[in-house]
Amino acid sequence: MLDWPNVTASSHQDLDLRPEEPQRSKCVLGFIPVIYYSILLCVGVPVNILTAVALSRLAARTKKALYYYLLAVTGSDILSQLFIIFVGFLLETAVFHRDVPALLLHSVSAAEFAANHASIWSTVPLTVDRYVALCHPLLHRQISYPERARKIIAVVLTLSLASGIPFFWWSDMWRNSNPPTARDTVLIWSHVTIIYFLPCSIFLVLNSLIIQKLRVRQRQQGCNDHCGPKSAPPQRFGKTTAMLLAITSVFSILWAPRTVVVIYHLHVSSVHRDWRVHLAYDLSNMLAMLNTAVNFFLYCFVSKPFRDAVRDVVLLRGGPLYPHRSLPQQHAPNNASISSLYCGNIKRSQRDSTPSSPRRDRKPS
């Protein structure tokens, strides 16, 4: 991002600088990252709060595990925006120029990585839930309910937050002039594995199985429409699957450049020495942080219930979070069955009485 002391000062007071010390790479973006992250924060945080309120209402109304997983993704994105964008990029770098106590600097670094891991890995249970729902619907009815979803989310977030502790010792890639050490190598490869390679592998495998299942189901439905009566039900998971594919695809695209740049920094050229790597690292960070603010627009584009919930929140038309109409709907089948039994008894009595009357009136000859 901004690199205030990137270039050695032109003052003659620095003549005691050792000639063998490499000069730091220059940040060519200037104030652009500060403006970008300020806009992203001002737009992303309110949008994610609106998303969280709308998803909370949908989760309370429908009692579906899907909305709990989406709510966990949104909450993790808010944490990433606060710790990484606001504290890390704007406060520490742009305001204080990283001139803060080392303990605070490393503590914030661990919090940033923890929030980052939580934001990414909260999407994994959503992907697994959609895979089970589409490929194993009977099993999904047994294991997918809000209580289990909340437990899974709690476990994933706890592990994600704990995974940020080792990154307390993450070195500053912008300002560390020394070549990467063995500890830096372990941390960098652990980082790219946790945030990209491992979750993207899970997304790729499960999404491929989901797409294959959808294709098989479409072929079966086309065969039934062509060869016999139209008895195949419509797709029930189309829009939800499209939402999942959009979320995972956007994540894979936006985080790929940063993963490549970090590995390039480790094995080829350092961010501290090469201004081109410095520029690529700044741009890749900007793209990666964009992922924390785009899910709202994906939800609005795909899901009509989400659009309706957002409209209710914006227009302050909040209905009851816990629907009171569910009780009559639950009793409706019982009432229908009782009324049908009552009507059946009346019809049965009419059938019993109607044919018996001619036999009573008929006299034996």
Side-chain angles (χ1 to χ4, degrees):
M1 219 184 85
L2 275 183
D3 200 2
W4 299 91
N6 260 344
V7 186
T8 53
S10 59
S11 175
H12 295 286
Q13 298 177 357
D14 296 335
L15 293 178
D16 57 343
L17 185 65
R18 291 178 300 178
E20 67 271 12
E21 184 177 352
Q23 193 179 30
R24 304 177 91 175
S25 61
K26 184 177 180 179
C27 179
V28 298
L29 293 180
F31 284 93
I32 294 178
V34 176
I35 300 174
Y36 172 81
Y37 286 121
S38 300
I39 296 175
L40 186 62
L41 189 68
C42 293
V43 174
V45 172
V47 161
N48 280 329
I49 293 176
L50 178 61
T51 304
V53 176
L55 291 175
S56 299
R57 295 193 174 190
L58 290 174
R61 291 174 186 172
T62 62
K63 303 297 181 183
K64 290 183 178 180
L66 167 67
Y67 295 114
Y68 288 93
Y69 292 126
L70 293 177
L71 189 59
V73 174
T74 305
S76 302
D77 288 340
I78 294 176
L79 291 178
S80 298
Q81 290 173 342
L82 293 179
F83 281 105
I84 300 177
I85 298 178
F86 179 68
V87 178
F89 285 115
L90 295 180
L91 285 184
E92 284 189 351
T93 304
V95 177
F96 297 106
H97 315 322
R98 312 287 277 191
D99 188 13
V100 295
L103 179 61
L104 179 60
L105 191 66
H106 290 288
S107 300
V108 172
S109 178
E112 290 174 358
F113 280 97
N116 189 10
H117 297 169
S119 176
I120 294 172
W121 277 91
S122 57
T123 312
V124 174
L126 172 65
T127 308
V128 176
D129 180 79
R130 290 299 89 197
Y131 164 74
V132 177
L134 186 61
C135 299
H136 308 280
L138 297 180
L139 179 62
H140 183 263
R141 295 175 184 176
Q142 299 176 359
I143 66 174
S144 181
Y145 50 89
E147 291 77 8
R148 183 184 292 270
R150 286 193 289 265
K151 293 179 181 178
I152 294 175
I153 292 170
V155 172
V156 171
L157 293 182
T158 301
L159 294 177
S160 300
L161 296 178
S163 66
I165 297 176
F167 295 92
F168 177 87
W169 293 273
W170 180 270
S171 61
D172 192 348
M173 297 175 61
W174 280 297
R175 290 164 176 79
N176 189 8
S177 59
N178 298 321
T181 62
R183 184 184 65 186
D184 295 334
T185 303
V186 172
L187 288 177
I188 288 177
W189 276 107
S190 300
H191 174 60
V192 297
T193 301
I194 292 175
I195 68 157
Y196 195 78
F197 290 126
L198 189 55
C200 283
S201 299
I202 297 175
F203 297 153
L204 178 62
V205 172
L206 294 183
N207 289 340
S208 301
L209 294 176
I210 290 174
I211 294 175
Q212 183 180 4
K213 184 67 175 181
L214 286 176
R215 289 179 178 177
V216 171
R217 185 173 292 182
Q218 289 176 356
R219 292 173 184 174
Q220 293 177 352
Q221 184 176 358
C223 181
N224 292 333
D225 294 341
H226 179 73
C227 301
K230 297 182 179 180
S231 59
Q235 298 287 337
R236 295 180 57 188
F237 303 95
K239 291 187 176 181
T240 306
T241 305
M243 183 188 301
L244 172 65
L245 295 177
I247 293 173
T248 54
S249 299
V250 169
F251 161 76
S252 302
I253 294 172
L254 294 181
W255 276 90
R258 186 182 186 278
T259 305
V260 174
V261 172
V262 169
I263 297 176
Y264 188 88
H265 159 82
L266 178 63
H267 295 285
V268 181
S269 180
S270 173
V271 173
H272 180 273
R273 299 182 181 182
D274 193 342
W275 68 269
R276 292 166 295 185
V277 183
H278 194 153
L279 175 62
Y281 190 60
D282 288 342
L283 294 177
S284 63
N285 281 330
M286 295 166 67
L287 281 177
M289 289 299 100
L290 182 63
N291 185 65
T292 61
V294 298
N295 288 339
F296 169 81
F297 304 100
L298 296 178
Y299 301 160
C300 289
F301 181 75
V302 174
S303 175
K304 185 178 183 300
F306 179 78
R307 293 195 299 268
D308 296 338
V310 170
R311 183 172 60 250
D312 292 341
V313 174
V314 173
L315 299 179
L316 301 178
R317 296 189 308 187
L321 293 181
Y322 299 94
H324 298 288
R325 297 181 180 179
S326 59
L327 293 177
Q329 291 177 359
Q330 292 176 358
H331 292 297
N334 295 331
N335 296 334
S337 60
I338 294 174
S339 61
S340 61
L341 289 176
Y342 180 71
C343 295
N345 292 333
I346 294 177
K347 292 181 180 180
R348 189 179 297 110
S349 61
Q350 291 177 355
R351 288 198 304 266
D352 294 340
S353 60
T354 302
S356 61
S357 57
R359 293 178 182 177
R360 281 201 216 100
D361 297 337
R362 185 181 299 173
K363 296 181 181 180
S365 53

